[in-house]
Amino acid sequence: MSSTAPYELIYWPGIPGRGEFIRLALEEAGAEYTDTAHQEGGVQQVLSLIDRKFQGDPSGPPPFAPPVLKHGDLRISQTPNILLYLGPRLGLTPSGDGAYQVNSLALTALDGLSNEPHDTHHPIAVELYYEDQVEESKRRAESYRTNRLPKFLSYFERVLAPQVAQGRPWLYGDTLTYADLVFYQCIDGLKFAFPRAVSRLERTGQYPNVFKLYETVKDRPRIKAYLESDRRQKYSQGIYRHYPELDDAE
Ligand SMILES: N[C@@H](CCC(=O)N[C@@H](CS)C(=O)NCC(=O)O)C(=O)O
């Protein structure tokens, strides 16, 4: 595989979705990449890879779902797996065993701050419309806002406290890693989905380092430029959805 091949991100157009975790890594590194979200026929490219008739090829087995990354002769799927691959190539992973610490942190953020928020609007079945599971969604979202979200934020605050005491704003080590980017995107999505709940939690003052890290990543020059560009897509019907009835009451 040629290490100079451009990275190719294959993901649904129209939502940041899980593709965003990959985009932020590529953008922070200033890497050259293509993105089906902005290509004509982008949806078709996704569909052809997840088509039931596709049995894979020398680049890899058929992916179950996007995001998918192609790099030279290699094609891989699963968001954290793609980040594990990209991390060392983009300078977003420390060398040695630290790579696994970074991956643990990213996986934990994806569990509690991405997958669980998704389940608040699809608690019964992914193939059903939200409108067919509103009552269950309300119960699930309330539990998420009052129990799970504070629990995960407390966890990350605990991870950050000793780091910040040593003058490091990052989740692990002394430079930004892809875990910080994943964490940023999760908090950003949560701010969109549950603006009142996140603002309430921020105002408690119990998670200062969590919200500081969010701002620090947002202010990274390349991330800032990306967020202001038309490459950054708007939230809509993806993982992070804003249904006022699922947020804190006014
Ligand atoms: N665990 C996978 C989940 C992939 C996934 O659920 N992708 C969504 C879009 S964000 C999808 O298209 N899913 C189709 C399906 O599950 O049938 C990952 O982290 O990449």
Side-chain angles (χ1 to χ4, degrees):
M1 187 201 67
S2 156
S3 60
T4 55
Y7 296 102
E8 298 174 54
L9 172 63
I10 296 135
Y11 192 74
W12 303 114
I15 49 167
R18 289 185 175 88
E20 203 61 14
F21 299 113
I22 315 300
R23 285 187 194 102
L24 287 172
L26 293 162
E27 292 282 346
E28 168 64 24
E32 221 181 287
Y33 73 102
T34 60
D35 185 344
T36 52
H38 304 296
Q39 287 170 346
E40 214 170 299
V43 173
Q44 230 18 71
Q45 285 197 60
V46 176
L47 290 173
S48 65
L49 280 182
I50 60 172
D51 191 295
R52 282 171 193 219
K53 292 195 205 80
F54 181 52
Q55 296 193 316
D57 57 26
S59 295
F64 178 78
V68 172
L69 181 82
K70 279 201 219 168
H71 189 210
D73 296 334
L74 181 73
R75 185 187 57 242
I76 53 174
S77 65
Q78 288 286 357
T79 308
N81 186 47
I82 294 172
L83 291 168
L84 196 63
Y85 176 82
L86 286 176
R89 288 166 175 81
L90 301 180
L92 296 171
T93 306
S95 55
D97 290 347
Y100 300 101
Q101 307 296 1
V102 166
N103 207 40
S104 297
L105 292 161
L107 285 162
T108 305
L110 290 168
D111 278 352
L113 305 175
S114 178
N115 295 328
E116 290 199 27
H118 169 272
D119 294 348
T120 63
H121 53 76
H122 277 78
I124 300 297
V126 283
E127 69 278 11
L128 288 179
Y129 289 113
Y130 165 67
E131 289 69 21
D132 296 327
Q133 43 193 324
V134 174
E135 290 313 310
E136 293 89 347
S137 295
K138 285 183 186 166
R139 288 188 67 189
R140 183 68 182 257
E142 190 194 353
S143 160
Y144 182 71
R145 286 184 280 105
T146 55
N147 301 310
R148 301 295 287 173
L149 178 54
K151 185 171 183 177
F152 276 95
L153 293 186
S154 300
Y155 167 74
F156 282 106
E157 188 64 30
R158 190 148 49 90
V159 169
L160 283 165
Q163 283 284 99
V164 171
Q166 291 179 72
R168 303 161 165 178
W170 317 116
L171 286 169
Y172 186 83
D174 51 14
T175 55
L176 174 140
T177 68
Y178 69 78
D180 299 304
L181 299 172
V182 166
F183 185 73
Y184 161 79
Q185 175 57 22
C186 289
I187 299 293
D188 196 65
L190 287 163
K191 278 173 172 274
F192 171 78
F194 304 108
R196 291 196 290 262
V198 173
S199 150
R200 166 178 54 81
L201 290 165
E202 189 167 4
R203 285 195 316 267
T204 64
Q206 289 175 38
Y207 317 101
N209 297 313
V210 156
F211 289 102
K212 181 82 183 24
L213 175 57
Y214 170 80
E215 295 297 336
T216 303
V217 173
K218 194 177 179 184
D219 284 345
R220 300 278 292 181
R222 283 179 177 149
I223 296 295
K224 195 170 185 310
Y226 165 67
L227 295 175
E228 286 165 4
S229 76
D230 54 12
R231 298 191 300 287
R232 171 76 166 186
Q233 296 164 91
K234 291 193 170 23
Y235 293 107
S236 60
Q237 296 293 296
I239 303 170
Y240 300 107
R241 302 185 187 187
H242 179 56
Y243 294 117
E245 64 276 20
L246 299 189
D247 198 359
D248 281 6
E250 274 188 272

